[in-house]
Amino acid sequence: MKQMKLFAIDLGNRQVKLKSEKATKVLPSYYVDVAEYGKRNVLELVKSDDAATTGDYKSGRDEGFTYVWGTGLDVSRKHVTDTLGLSKRYDSREFKVLADLALAELARDFKESSGGILDVVVVTGVPTNEYDDEETFKYIKEALTGVRSAEIDGVTYVVRVHEVYILMQPVGTAVDVMVDETGDVIDGNDIEDGYVGIVDIGGGTIIIDAFEKMNLDTNNRVQLEEGSHKLFINIRNRVNDNKDGHRITEHEVERMVRDGHEDSTYYWSPNGRDNLNLTDIVKQERERYTRKVIQSVRGTFKSMSRMRKIYVTGGTANLLNQNEFKIAIPIAEFVKDSETANVRGYYKYGLLNEVNIVDESDAIKN
């Protein structure tokens, strides 16, 4: 038997969440062709001491193209390569490139991946509606399994993915709630012997599921294509409807809303001179979006009195008006660090089931 490195990967529509024994990372699900930036750094007079928040990435299966990717990605006046898609997403070139970048981003923390090949097992997830779709499983496994490589700032990282485990997306949060950091089940958790709801609000979808003693309740569930992209589009449209001539993109809206300010104000500069206060628009659209989610949850869970708790999770949960949500649905509990709850659960699932312990006779050799 051989113990391999365990990678948990959540390739969401708006955010990529990654976890290994070394780190937990959150990055955008889009990247920018380096050509969009023109000739870079020609005016850089002094080398910055600030830590880099982006890098140059080259996928092993997209030769000739370099992409800029990272938490500090500059999307102003740039054509963004997006992986958002609600159909055939997993078979697209953009998704496969994102998979390579994600694997390399995790692998860069392990020295053996740059001097050889790092052997890994991956746990990931898909929305509930796609869980029984054989084609979806096929495309995801094709995107991740085997020898994969990507270059980051001139250094090539290589991994050999021996197995890919695919879970229902909300199961990630369920496992995160019921399993501790070492992979042991927590005594007296709500998930194992209770009837609970999980509201997973992501970039592309809102998934509302119920589990009774870990069994999916197929009669009280829904999946809506109403993720945060709808919130960002509504804000974008309202800003662009103004007569001042300024045009904001959906990705600029996302950066502004997610970054925010400590005093809950929202500003956007279209040109580096003007600083537009968009606080009223953002707050009103967040409030409107919160009410829509509340209505969807109420419409799905018509017998909340029988439920022990409703966990609210996903990368968009922290954009809701949480006070209003809890007043409307008192049994709601917002999962801590909700944007990484699923990927933490995927990782804990791997630990709990020892999926990274592989029989060497079954291991991929090349």
Side-chain angles (χ1 to χ4, degrees):
M1 303 298 284
K2 181 177 181 179
Q3 183 167 352
M4 302 182 181
K5 298 302 179 184
L6 174 61
F7 283 2
I9 296 179
D10 182 356
L11 298 174
N13 279 292
R14 304 302 308 192
Q15 292 179 308
V16 170
K17 283 79 70 175
L18 309 171
K19 184 169 176 60
S20 72
E21 66 188 59
K22 300 282 191 180
T24 301
K25 307 182 183 188
V26 181
L27 299 99
S29 292
Y30 45 84
Y31 40 88
V32 178
D33 191 314
V34 71
E36 289 286 319
Y37 295 93
K39 193 169 181 62
R40 296 179 294 172
N41 302 326
V42 295
L43 294 178
E44 186 177 59
L45 303 180
V46 180
K47 187 173 179 62
S48 174
D49 292 329
D50 295 338
T53 57
T54 60
D56 288 358
Y57 292 72
K58 296 180 181 180
S59 164
R61 51 185 154 187
D62 195 19
E63 292 186 13
F65 288 86
T66 300
Y67 299 103
V68 180
W69 191 46
T71 56
L73 189 62
D74 175 16
V75 296
S76 177
R77 300 183 301 281
K78 304 294 186 295
H79 175 76
V80 173
T81 303
D82 212 329
T83 65
L84 174 67
L86 301 172
S87 65
K88 299 295 182 182
R89 177 180 186 239
Y90 307 113
D91 192 36
S92 69
R93 180 185 62 248
E94 292 80 8
F95 180 83
K96 293 173 184 176
V97 169
L98 185 66
D100 282 349
L101 305 192
L103 288 168
E105 182 61 33
L106 283 172
R108 72 190 303 186
D109 296 325
F110 298 85
K111 287 189 292 186
E112 53 263 54
S113 70
S114 58
I117 301 178
L118 182 69
D119 290 302
V120 304
V121 171
V122 170
V123 182
T124 188
V126 294
T128 309
N129 280 4
E130 299 170 13
Y131 186 72
D132 292 322
D133 185 345
E134 292 183 4
E135 189 175 74
T136 291
F137 271 51
K138 171 176 170 283
Y139 288 144
I140 291 175
K141 291 198 172 190
E142 285 178 354
L144 291 169
T145 307
V147 177
R148 300 297 173 199
S149 66
E151 183 182 300
I152 306 176
D153 294 333
V155 179
T156 298
Y157 300 93
V158 184
V159 300
R160 184 188 289 114
V161 180
H162 291 260
E163 186 62 74
V164 177
Y165 292 84
I166 304 174
L167 310 181
M168 280 186 200
Q169 196 168 297
V171 168
T173 289
V175 173
D176 184 48
V177 170
M178 67 180 285
V179 176
D180 65 20
E181 297 297 330
T182 62
D184 295 323
V185 176
I186 299 169
D187 292 335
N189 67 80
D190 292 315
I191 305 291
E192 265 192 308
D193 62 354
Y195 182 42
V196 300
I198 295 180
V199 180
D200 188 340
I201 312 166
T205 59
I206 299 174
I207 303 171
I208 304 174
D209 279 333
F211 293 89
E212 184 163 16
K213 299 178 181 178
M214 288 301 294
N215 296 310
L216 178 67
D217 179 356
T218 56
N219 294 320
N220 293 286
R221 65 162 314 275
V222 70
Q223 182 169 311
L224 308 169
E225 296 179 358
E226 297 287 338
S228 63
H229 72 287
K230 290 293 183 72
L231 169 64
F232 302 142
I233 287 171
N234 289 339
I235 294 172
R236 179 201 66 189
N237 291 345
R238 286 190 60 183
V239 174
N240 291 345
D241 279 345
N242 291 334
K243 306 303 180 184
D244 55 16
H246 295 307
R247 308 288 293 179
I248 192 170
T249 68
E250 181 183 339
H251 294 96
E252 289 175 311
V253 168
E254 178 173 12
R255 175 57 55 82
M256 173 187 64
V257 173
R258 290 198 185 280
D259 289 351
H261 291 272
E262 289 184 4
D263 59 356
S264 298
T265 57
Y266 300 90
Y267 289 87
W268 172 64
S269 178
N271 49 32
R273 299 189 316 272
D274 303 313
N275 207 23
L276 306 183
N277 188 343
L278 304 180
T279 303
D280 289 345
I281 290 176
V282 173
K283 284 188 172 181
Q284 187 174 46
E285 289 304 320
R286 285 180 61 185
E287 182 72 23
R288 181 173 284 118
Y289 186 77
T290 299
R291 294 181 183 186
K292 287 181 178 179
V293 176
I294 290 170
Q295 295 275 337
S296 297
V297 173
R298 283 175 167 169
T300 305
F301 299 149
K302 296 182 173 65
S303 299
M304 285 191 203
S305 60
R306 303 294 300 273
M307 306 185 85
R308 184 174 295 184
K309 193 173 290 183
I310 295 175
Y311 291 99
V312 185
T313 188
T316 307
N318 54 7
L319 299 183
L320 299 181
N321 182 327
Q322 295 190 12
N323 288 334
E324 175 159 343
F325 198 99
K326 289 177 181 178
I327 290 171
I329 303 175
I331 62 172
E333 178 178 315
F334 282 78
V335 177
K336 184 179 180 182
D337 299 323
S338 62
E339 66 183 357
T340 56
N342 282 337
V343 81
R344 292 196 307 267
Y346 300 162
Y347 190 81
K348 291 176 182 179
Y349 173 90
L351 293 178
L352 183 65
N353 292 280
E354 296 185 333
V355 301
N356 57 324
I357 307 297
V358 177
D359 189 326
E360 291 194 64
S361 63
D362 295 332
I364 297 173
K365 302 303 181 185
N366 51 49

